[in-house]
Amino acid sequence: MLSVRDLVTAYGKIEALKGVSLEVAPGSITCLLGPNGAGKTTLMMTIAGVLRPKRGSVRFLDEDLAGLAPDAIVKRGIALVPENRLGFPSMSVLENLQAGAYQRRDPIEEDIERIFRRFPPLKARSAQQAGTLSGGEQQMLAVGRALMSRPKLLLMDEPSLGLAPLVVEEIFRTVAELHRDGTTIFLVEQNAHMALKVAQHFFLMEQGRVSFSGDPGSLAEDEVIRRAYLGSSR
Amino acid sequence: MLALGFTLIFGVLRRANLAYGPAIMFGAYAATWTSMNFQAGLLILAVVTIAAAVLAGAYVERLCFAPHRKGPAAAAMVASFALWMQFEELATLALPNHLYAFPALYEGGPLELGRFTVRIDALLILLATVVVCGLLWWILYRTRFGVAVRAVIDDPKAAGLAGIGVPRVFMLVFALASAIGGLAGFLIAGSQEQVTPMLGMWSTLKGMVAMMLGGLGSLPGAVAGGLALGLIEAHAGWFLGPQLRDFLVYLLLFVLLALRPPWMNTRSVS
């Protein structure tokens, strides 16, 4: 469904992605693991169009996305739940969801209802300013906002970052539910244990390159965790 | 009203547009030229002013702000300063005299209310400001476009990821701010019954000071700041005389920049 080929993204002269290639199969949960600074967020931002790649291609449903603006990429069916739950803190919860549906021209009330059913705390706070929500609620809102565009592929960048264990479990339950409902998910995670439980396939990234690709059973979990946190070179 | 347009641009782009006033002056000159060469009613002149101001505003956006969206804020500001000069030159080339008459907003005498006399045109301006404020509030808080504008104000990156075409929102906000500025320019020229090339600098200055008085980037603050500035000027004019009045605006700007009162750090437009 998503096919990344030899992708190079640079900040000035420093290449954060040094030729990344990977595939995300339709209907799968695919996970990307790796230590800090490996380029995981850079990869997500490049796929979503926030960063422009220097070389390489991002193909999605047989169309090259490299170089398109973020809104054009949302239009083609990819939504990113960004790292740190980036959102619109001065706007209400409801308006945040409406903003997520900006591309759509059809009625969105049903989608809002569905998201409120999935995340009841959001319904209770629908008129409240998003900036006043707890970390877990903001993560729910970030996921809900991304779902409002009805994406075919949902990118999630460290959705469990800084959240309490119970909330993390809830987020992963949501990931599994979304997957069951037919959304393809490409997930960046630090929490390797949780990620390997839900994923069908995973990639390890180190220093701007993919260093391993396999099924969750193909590498001992402690080895994955060691390499995801520390990298294999150290 | 000047402050509203200036604040709208500042709040959304986080960039000061020095060419804001000169674009308004360009609009007022276009209307003056129209009234000198054709028989045109006030309504047509208002439309000409607004249309020309929007056109000039779009030109400023394309040339100064679209290319410097990601660069330092000073780059766009300096570029807008260059266009300021351009607009002034253009205006003085097209209409070389320093001063031109502008049709009066209202020809009749003032309204007598007991001991008070109220100028009808001042009343008209107040009314127009209230209407524009209401309309702007409605656009920002009750429309899809308003949600997009406020999203861009909160976080342009997150807005892009939500599927909002950020460059397009910038362009439309610029057009909207220029239209408000154009209307303000028309009302000012009409109540003073004259236009000079100074209208440009005057508008930028008043817009900026009123915005600073009310808090950077806050729209209700811009209205409050505009009213406060008006009151201060009226009192200064009464007590100190008209020469010192304009001096006081500069003094106010200086004091605001030197003291930087806490409300000037506010960020949100809401």
Side-chain angles (χ1 to χ4, degrees):
Chain A
M1 184 177 214
L2 179 78
S3 163
V4 175
R5 284 273 158 269
D6 303 316
L7 201 64
V8 177
T9 302
Y11 298 99
K13 282 197 167 151
I14 301 158
E15 290 184 348
L17 302 183
K18 298 169 182 165
V20 171
S21 299
L22 51 78
E23 302 273 339
V24 175
S28 71
I29 298 182
T30 303
C31 187
L32 183 63
L33 304 167
N36 282 330
K40 304 184 301 290
T41 295
T42 303
L43 176 61
M44 287 295 180
M45 289 298 202
T46 309
I47 296 171
V50 175
L51 297 172
R52 244 167 208 281
K54 224 165 107 179
R55 283 194 297 283
S57 70
V58 178
R59 296 193 72 80
F60 178 67
L61 301 172
D62 288 317
E63 190 181 1
D64 194 4
L65 301 184
L68 288 183
D71 55 303
I73 287 173
V74 173
K75 197 169 206 159
R76 282 161 180 75
I78 300 181
L80 169 65
V81 181
E83 197 185 14
N84 300 325
R85 317 183 254 282
L86 219 59
F88 312 118
S90 82
M91 288 159 58
S92 74
V93 168
L94 185 64
E95 286 170 337
N96 265 268
L97 293 178
Q98 288 167 344
Y102 190 71
Q103 287 279 343
R104 290 174 46 189
R105 290 280 180 274
D106 51 329
I108 60 171
E109 283 72 23
E110 231 171 84
D111 298 70
I112 290 177
E113 272 312 308
R114 196 173 320 135
I115 284 160
F116 281 164
R117 268 202 304 281
R118 196 185 288 283
F119 304 117
L122 295 185
K123 183 169 190 169
R125 302 185 190 288
S126 70
Q128 203 170 312
Q129 278 199 347
T132 64
L133 300 183
S134 73
E137 288 162 352
Q138 286 193 19
Q139 187 63 57
M140 292 174 199
L141 182 57
V143 174
R145 192 173 48 234
L147 290 178
M148 286 302 292
S149 66
R150 289 198 177 167
K152 299 180 188 111
L153 171 65
L154 185 66
L155 309 174
M156 300 175 95
D157 194 352
E158 306 231 15
S160 72
L161 194 74
L163 298 182
L166 269 179
V167 185
V168 172
E169 263 181 49
E170 212 174 297
I171 294 290
F172 274 97
R173 198 158 45 237
T174 309
V175 169
E177 276 172 28
L178 290 173
H179 174 243
R180 207 183 48 222
D181 294 350
T183 313
T184 306
I185 293 167
F186 185 29
L187 177 75
V188 166
E189 249 317 319
Q190 277 280 332
N191 192 334
H193 176 68
M194 287 300 259
L196 291 181
K197 265 207 303 207
V198 295
Q200 282 96 44
H201 196 89
F202 78 98
F203 294 93
L204 263 176
M205 234 179 123
E206 290 169 54
Q207 297 177 9
R209 289 194 177 85
V210 172
S211 64
F212 185 83
S213 157
D215 305 335
S218 60
L219 199 62
E221 190 178 311
D222 54 352
E223 173 68 6
V224 175
I225 290 173
R226 199 180 63 76
R227 287 174 68 174
Y229 282 100
L230 305 169
S232 55
S233 51
R234 268 168 279 178
Chain B
M1 214 188 295
L2 284 171
L4 270 182
F6 196 85
T7 302
L8 202 56
I9 293 174
F10 188 84
V12 175
L13 283 87
R14 300 276 122 197
R15 302 273 191 276
N17 174 19
L18 295 180
Y20 172 68
I24 294 170
M25 186 259 307
F26 180 79
Y29 263 69
T32 310
W33 184 85
T34 308
S35 81
M36 282 163 64
N37 290 286
F38 304 98
Q39 277 291 13
L42 274 177
L43 204 62
I44 291 171
L45 291 184
V47 171
V48 169
T49 315
I50 292 169
V54 169
L55 212 65
Y59 174 65
V60 172
E61 202 269 347
R62 285 292 97 190
L63 223 60
C64 302
F65 289 86
H68 296 296
R69 195 155 286 148
K70 294 211 169 85
M77 201 172 82
V78 171
S80 71
F81 184 75
L83 286 203
W84 171 347
M85 296 295 115
Q86 213 181 57
F87 283 131
E88 271 195 15
E89 281 302 314
L90 208 66
T92 45
L93 280 176
L95 300 172
N97 292 344
H98 186 69
L99 199 128
Y100 285 90
F102 199 87
L105 223 44
Y106 181 76
E107 302 278 7
L111 193 68
E112 305 271 352
L113 282 171
R115 288 172 48 228
F116 302 101
T117 53
V118 184
R119 284 179 61 170
I120 300 284
D121 50 3
L123 220 56
L124 276 175
I125 291 177
L126 186 69
L127 190 73
T129 308
V130 171
V131 170
V132 166
C133 283
L135 210 63
L136 195 59
W137 180 86
W138 183 80
I139 290 174
L140 287 176
Y141 290 90
R142 286 290 177 271
T143 67
R144 242 168 62 87
F145 174 64
V147 168
V149 171
R150 285 184 297 136
V152 172
I153 291 169
D154 262 12
D155 192 329
K157 201 204 262 177
L161 289 174
I164 295 164
V166 177
R168 210 178 105 89
V169 169
F170 279 152
M171 185 77 208
L172 289 172
V173 162
F174 231 93
L176 181 64
S178 303
I180 294 173
L183 179 61
F186 168 77
L187 293 171
I188 292 162
S191 73
Q192 295 186 339
E193 297 172 38
Q194 62 178 32
V195 289
T196 79
M198 298 296 285
L199 178 65
M201 191 185 95
W202 190 86
S203 304
T204 295
L205 183 71
K206 294 277 162 87
M208 202 149 67
V209 174
M211 178 179 85
M212 286 175 168
L213 267 178
L216 288 188
S218 148
L219 288 177
V223 177
L227 286 175
L229 183 64
L231 278 175
I232 292 168
E233 282 193 347
H235 283 83
W238 177 257
F239 289 111
L240 304 172
Q243 275 81 30
L244 280 174
R245 193 184 68 178
D246 282 345
F247 170 73
L248 197 80
V249 179
Y250 287 101
L251 189 70
L252 204 60
L253 180 63
F254 175 76
V255 170
L256 280 171
L257 288 176
L259 295 182
R260 281 203 281 173
W263 70 81
M264 263 178 62
N265 292 324
T266 54
R267 189 169 180 275
S268 72
V269 163
S270 38

